[in-house]
Amino acid sequence: MDLRSDTVTEPTDEMRRAMYEAEVGDAARGDDPTVRQLEEEAAAILGKEAALLVPSGTMGNLVAMLTWVRRAEEIIADWRAHIVQSEAGGLGGVVGAMVRTIVTDDGILRPRAIEEAIRAPSVLAPRTALVAIEETHNFAGGTVWRVEEVDAAAEVAHRHGIPVHMDGARLFNAAVALGVPAARIVQAVDSVMFCLSKGLSAPIGSVLVGSRDFIEEARRRRQMVGGAMRQAGVIAAAGIVALRTMISRLAEDHARARALAERLAGTPGIRVSPPPVTNMVMVDVAGTGLSAAEFGKRLAEGHNVWALPVGPSVLRLVTHRHVDDEDVERAAQAIRAVAQSRAA
Ligand SMILES: Cc1ncc(COP(=O)(O)O)c(C=O)c1O
């Protein structure tokens, strides 16, 4: 049972059929009708003018940063943002940007913290060029930015003439958790990247969305980093199925994450924090005296349950389409067994 991430989800039969049957063309020249269809639907669903298919979420964020930020300029982001922690330093190495991190518990950047992090114009300081926010926030535990929080962050940034990029890898999880259209969540932001290949189960692909001008420039930046693809309709076809059919079922993943947390409550040595609101369960195993890495190893080797260490004592378990109610029960039992064997 693989609970390391929702990225392990495999394409549905409908996706595989759509991929087989996809009408294709040279997408790098704008000739692939299926890619164009996906991009149109993605822009429409988010209420923005245009969209661009990219191979991965990491490249989508990179292209967005390359479009908004020049060398030696600064990006404001949460300290545990994916662009800071898990994109191999691309914002420094490829974009040439600096990052000013804000420390939060929940990944939500408060207006006051953003205001304080924005550099006053000065010949000495780097220029603040972008505020980057993450919806849902992965390493904070799948936490959700509420609409008012996104709006408030964007208000501060825009008042200073700074654009806002949303790493919305799991934007639709947030939309489902909040019961709000994704378009409303992203209304105030200037660019959004979302992933087709996580809980939505498509095999490959992310989409960058924004104004027509932004996407036109992003297309050049995608070319620069080698992300323009040819008969990419085979990927886009699965993405279209993901967008049309896979969003509402994310509620099941959220319910199972809550169920897993409930079943773990009261287990000696284990603390679930924060309470899950989307599809992630963060389990702090410090009280067992085991490291997250050792606990995860025992879970995998002894019970064939795979979880991801995301801190010295924290394991992340992610629910997704291949995890059913029985799996949740079995995972909870396995975690309790490892914790108890340690306590004994
Ligand atoms: C918040 C967030 N942003 C970006 C990404 C990058 O996506 P990809 O793995 O498609 O590069 C991930 C992947 O897990 C993520 O969780």
Side-chain angles (χ1 to χ4, degrees):
M1 190 195 315
D2 195 343
L3 298 171
R4 289 172 304 170
S5 179
D6 46 12
T7 58
V8 303
T9 48
E10 295 180 4
T12 63
D13 291 346
E14 191 183 347
M15 287 177 189
R16 290 177 191 268
R17 273 193 299 275
M19 293 170 80
Y20 181 76
E21 290 165 4
E23 210 185 317
V24 295
D26 189 340
R29 300 177 198 279
D31 290 348
D32 189 305
T34 312
V35 170
R36 285 206 304 264
Q37 178 73 28
L38 170 66
E39 291 176 343
E40 273 169 30
E41 289 193 24
I45 212 172
L46 294 192
K48 302 282 186 202
E49 287 174 359
L52 184 69
L53 176 65
V54 287
S56 68
T58 301
M59 189 183 285
N61 285 332
L62 183 65
V63 167
M65 291 187 287
L66 280 167
T67 307
W68 290 124
V69 183
R70 301 279 77 87
R71 296 187 71 76
E73 292 184 334
E74 197 162 67
I75 299 169
I76 294 174
D78 180 69
W79 67 299
R80 287 181 294 184
H82 199 273
I83 57 166
V84 175
Q85 290 221 144
S86 296
E87 298 185 5
L91 68 82
V94 182
V95 183
M98 307 196 18
V99 61
R100 191 162 210 199
T101 53
I102 295 176
V103 176
T104 70
D105 287 335
D106 55 8
I108 313 297
L109 307 184
R110 264 74 199 184
R112 184 154 169 213
I114 295 173
E115 187 101 52
E116 285 172 1
I118 292 172
R119 303 279 187 182
S122 156
V123 73
L124 303 176
R127 197 173 75 81
T128 306
L130 186 66
V131 173
I133 66 179
E134 190 172 308
E135 174 80 302
T136 64
H137 198 294
N138 181 343
F139 293 116
T143 52
V144 171
W145 283 69
R146 289 178 295 115
V147 168
E148 312 84 76
E149 290 168 330
V150 177
D151 288 354
E155 191 280 319
V156 178
H158 291 161
R159 187 154 29 84
H160 291 267
I162 299 165
V164 178
H165 171 67
M166 177 184 281
D167 171 351
R170 295 180 181 80
L171 169 64
F172 292 104
N173 292 84
V176 165
L178 292 172
V180 167
R184 176 62 194 92
I185 299 174
V186 306
Q187 189 174 300
V189 307
D190 303 281
S191 60
V192 192
M193 180 284 293
F194 73 84
C195 293
L196 298 161
S197 58
K198 300 203 159 58
L200 300 184
S201 297
I204 304 168
S206 294
V207 185
L208 188 57
V209 185
S211 70
R212 219 175 294 289
D213 286 351
F214 169 81
I215 291 297
E216 210 168 292
E217 184 57 28
R219 200 177 292 282
R220 287 183 56 78
R221 305 281 159 179
R222 183 187 67 173
Q223 173 69 17
M224 187 191 280
V225 293
M229 298 174 281
R230 301 301 182 181
Q231 284 69 36
V234 291
I235 296 169
I240 291 170
V241 176
L243 274 185
R244 289 182 185 171
T245 69
M246 303 300 285
I247 293 174
S248 61
R249 67 150 308 286
L250 295 173
E252 294 173 32
D253 301 342
H254 299 178
R256 291 196 176 101
R258 285 195 300 274
L260 178 56
E262 278 160 22
R263 279 168 184 65
L264 292 175
T267 307
I270 296 287
R271 195 169 65 91
V272 175
S273 176
V277 286
T278 56
N279 64 337
M280 296 189 178
V281 184
M282 305 302 250
V283 180
D284 192 326
V285 300
T288 64
L290 295 174
S291 67
E294 180 58 28
F295 197 102
K297 189 159 171 268
R298 291 184 190 194
L299 259 186
E301 287 174 2
H303 303 270
N304 200 21
V305 172
W306 296 2
L308 189 75
V310 292
S313 69
V314 178
L315 280 173
R316 190 188 73 181
L317 296 94
V318 184
T319 51
H320 53 74
R321 201 178 106 246
H322 306 315
V323 178
D324 63 16
D325 293 337
E326 257 173 55
D327 293 329
V328 166
E329 192 54 56
R330 199 162 74 71
Q333 277 171 15
I335 292 168
R336 281 200 298 267
V338 173
Q340 274 157 15
S341 70
R342 181 60 186 178

